[in-house]
Amino acid sequence: MDSTVSYLENHGIKPTAVRMLVWEKAHGQSETFTLHDMEQWMPHMDRSSIFRALKLFAEHEMLHIIDDGTGQQKYCVCRCEHGHHLNHVHFTCTKCGQTYCLEDYKIPMVDMPEGFVMEDVEYVVKGICAKCAQ
């Protein structure tokens, strides 16, 4: 619990009871998850409280948000260097729907036409994951 308090404070977040519980559950996930997943894992907690905590963590770059085209916002714990979570590829399985962060696979550089300014990049590869391919 002390490490959670320190971690949140080091990211400029006041460690409330709700935030600590949500962060501990989120931080324990090795794959992406949705707000609905968090609700299932924490049925005693209010949906809006969970959402506000997740949003705050994303704003402080502790989580990153993935739009994989499924219509559900997915979250992943940022386990990379500060600010570098935007440059890796995500893979969404068309069979099971799971989205994976492929942090070792970098997004290729895209040259923009003159006058265009890139602000964000989403790079999602779709196919069958290793688990479903078996």
Side-chain angles (χ1 to χ4, degrees):
M1 202 58 97
D2 286 341
S3 63
T4 301
V5 169
S6 297
Y7 192 81
L8 293 176
E9 288 176 342
N10 288 340
H11 282 83
I13 295 175
K14 181 179 177 185
T16 65
V18 168
R19 291 172 184 165
M20 290 189 309
L21 289 171
V22 172
W23 177 248
E24 287 172 0
K25 182 54 82 175
H27 189 256
Q29 305 310 310
S30 60
E31 303 299 339
T32 61
F33 58 90
T34 64
L35 173 59
H36 179 74
D37 294 330
M38 289 294 283
E39 287 179 284
Q40 299 300 307
W41 300 329
M42 307 178 85
H44 59 283
M45 196 169 294
D46 177 59
R47 174 185 178 91
S48 62
S49 297
I50 296 170
F51 177 75
R52 283 192 304 272
L54 293 174
K55 184 175 185 232
L56 182 65
F57 299 153
E59 289 168 357
H60 287 260
E61 296 187 346
M62 297 162 59
L63 296 176
H64 62 275
I65 299 171
I66 304 160
D67 179 0
D68 60 5
T70 61
Q72 276 195 315
Q73 198 169 54
K74 294 184 180 174
Y75 300 90
C76 188
V77 174
C78 189
R79 302 185 196 285
C80 37
E81 292 180 36
H82 179 74
H84 290 93
H85 64 270
L86 298 176
N87 67 359
H88 67 261
V89 174
H90 295 100
F91 182 92
T92 298
C93 180
T94 57
K95 193 167 185 177
C96 69
Q98 180 64 50
T99 297
Y100 300 88
C101 287
L102 304 179
E103 292 178 7
D104 293 335
Y105 295 88
K106 302 303 177 199
I107 295 173
M109 184 54 120
V110 178
D111 289 326
M112 300 303 299
E114 189 174 326
F116 288 75
V117 179
M118 184 183 324
E119 292 183 350
D120 191 16
V121 176
E122 298 267 346
Y123 197 99
V124 179
V125 176
K126 296 185 180 186
I128 306 295
C129 70
K131 191 186 296 184
C132 291
Q134 292 179 359

